[in-house]
Amino acid sequence: MTGSTPKGGIDPVGIGPDGIPEYRIEGAWTLPVKGPAVPRLGPGLVESLRTVTAATASATLHQMGITKTFIQGPRSNKPGRRIIGRAVTLQLMPMREDIYSDAGVTQEYVERATALWAVLDFIEPGDVLVVQAHGSLRSGVVGEMLATHLQNRGGLGLVADGGIRDSSKLDQLDVPIWSLGPTPHYASQGELLPWGYHVPVAVGGTLVLPGDLIVADDDGAVVVPVAKAAAVAEAGASHEAWEDFSRAKLALGGALRRYYPLDDVGRAEYEEWEAAGRPPLSA
């Protein structure tokens, strides 16, 4: 796309974390909206969740009374990959002409002044970018260039209830992406505009707060409230452990009602197996 960055309504506001100028869009509301710095995670918190799957995290939180944790819709472009990381959030909002009316040849360049470009410069190693895109496939949340920058900054992945562009090239990057699928559009080419970052977002019907934990795998993405993460890790590790036993017993023809979930007899067998150091099982 040709053209130069338009000057009307876009003002420099300082130098960003990488020494690159930051801009804002002036109108009925000054953009981008920026929330407070994302809280850092406690030491060892991510590592404690290493064995916990999205399904286990979701079930464990449900038992704790937190029932809306599954980010419905986004699917992974890299089957078999699982990530656990801190949520850094980006919010897209519907276009309105008094906020931003420029379109066509200059619009893609203006995106450099939006929350989309801004949030990427705050990604830290181990972060997961979580994007509210309202289920739209007319807004490509990221393409090859932005995903490359996300990878370069140490981002673990992306979860978005919207589309991605350059999908075949994104498949070649080492950054798993949970999205609704491919689109030829860039972010503001449709009806949305990157609005705010480091703010609460609603993604796939689920509230995600900056600093929450994301557990994502082939079953989808689940948000783990950071205050519940230690309890989820403890309960989840126990759950995954007895499921290993149940899986092995069922593979040997064991009774479903005894081994999944464990009844009292199955539980006693499992505890004996754990105490013995998990020896190979036989029929």
Side-chain angles (χ1 to χ4, degrees):
M1 186 174 292
T2 60
S4 59
T5 304
K7 299 183 182 300
I10 300 178
D11 300 317
V13 295
I15 302 299
D18 288 338
I20 304 297
E22 288 184 322
Y23 296 89
R24 66 187 176 196
I25 299 174
E26 296 290 2
W29 197 271
T30 299
L31 299 177
V33 172
K34 179 184 178 182
V38 181
R40 295 190 179 277
L41 300 176
L45 192 56
V46 170
E47 187 60 34
S48 71
L49 287 160
R50 287 295 178 199
T51 64
V52 177
T53 65
T56 296
S58 175
T60 302
L61 286 164
H62 191 93
Q63 292 163 6
M64 295 177 178
I66 302 175
T67 60
K68 294 184 178 179
T69 61
F70 171 47
I71 299 176
Q72 186 173 342
R75 300 288 300 275
S76 174
N77 72 332
K78 292 187 181 299
R81 291 287 294 274
R82 181 160 64 95
I83 60 172
I84 302 145
R86 182 182 71 161
V88 173
T89 59
L90 170 66
Q91 178 192 59
L92 275 63
M93 294 289 274
M95 291 271 197
R96 209 177 76 185
E97 289 77 5
D98 62 321
I99 305 294
Y100 173 68
S101 59
D102 191 21
V105 70
T106 63
Q107 190 170 346
E108 188 173 15
Y109 288 90
V110 173
E111 282 190 352
R112 290 189 296 201
T114 70
L116 176 53
W117 259 246
V119 72
L120 288 169
D121 282 336
F122 286 93
I123 293 291
E124 297 181 5
D127 286 345
V128 179
L129 181 58
V130 183
V131 186
Q132 174 182 324
H134 304 271
S136 174
L137 283 172
R138 294 191 179 278
S139 293
V141 174
V142 299
E144 176 193 9
M145 305 301 183
L146 299 189
T148 297
H149 187 58
L150 175 66
Q151 175 179 273
N152 290 345
R153 294 207 44 101
L156 289 182
L158 170 82
V159 177
D161 61 350
I164 53 171
R165 65 189 298 202
D166 306 326
S167 58
S168 63
K169 293 178 180 177
L170 293 185
D171 288 343
Q172 299 171 27
L173 296 178
D174 191 30
V175 176
I177 293 174
W178 283 257
S179 75
L180 299 187
T183 177
H185 283 200
Y186 55 83
S188 60
Q189 191 174 345
E191 66 274 13
L192 302 174
L193 181 71
W195 180 275
Y197 63 104
H198 297 177
V199 296
V201 293
V203 186
T206 298
L207 174 66
V208 181
L209 302 179
D212 280 340
L213 281 153
I214 298 296
V215 179
D217 55 29
D218 288 346
D219 284 336
V222 169
V223 56
V224 178
V226 69
K228 300 292 184 181
V232 169
E234 182 178 356
S238 173
H239 183 93
E240 296 287 349
W242 71 253
E243 276 203 346
D244 287 344
F245 176 77
S246 296
R247 189 176 296 110
K249 293 297 285 188
L250 291 175
L252 293 169
L256 177 65
R257 292 181 186 274
R258 168 139 297 167
Y259 295 112
Y260 193 77
L262 297 172
D263 66 6
D264 289 343
V265 173
R267 172 66 63 176
E269 291 180 15
Y270 160 67
E271 290 174 354
E272 182 179 347
W273 177 72
E274 279 283 4
R278 297 187 164 209
L281 296 169
S282 58

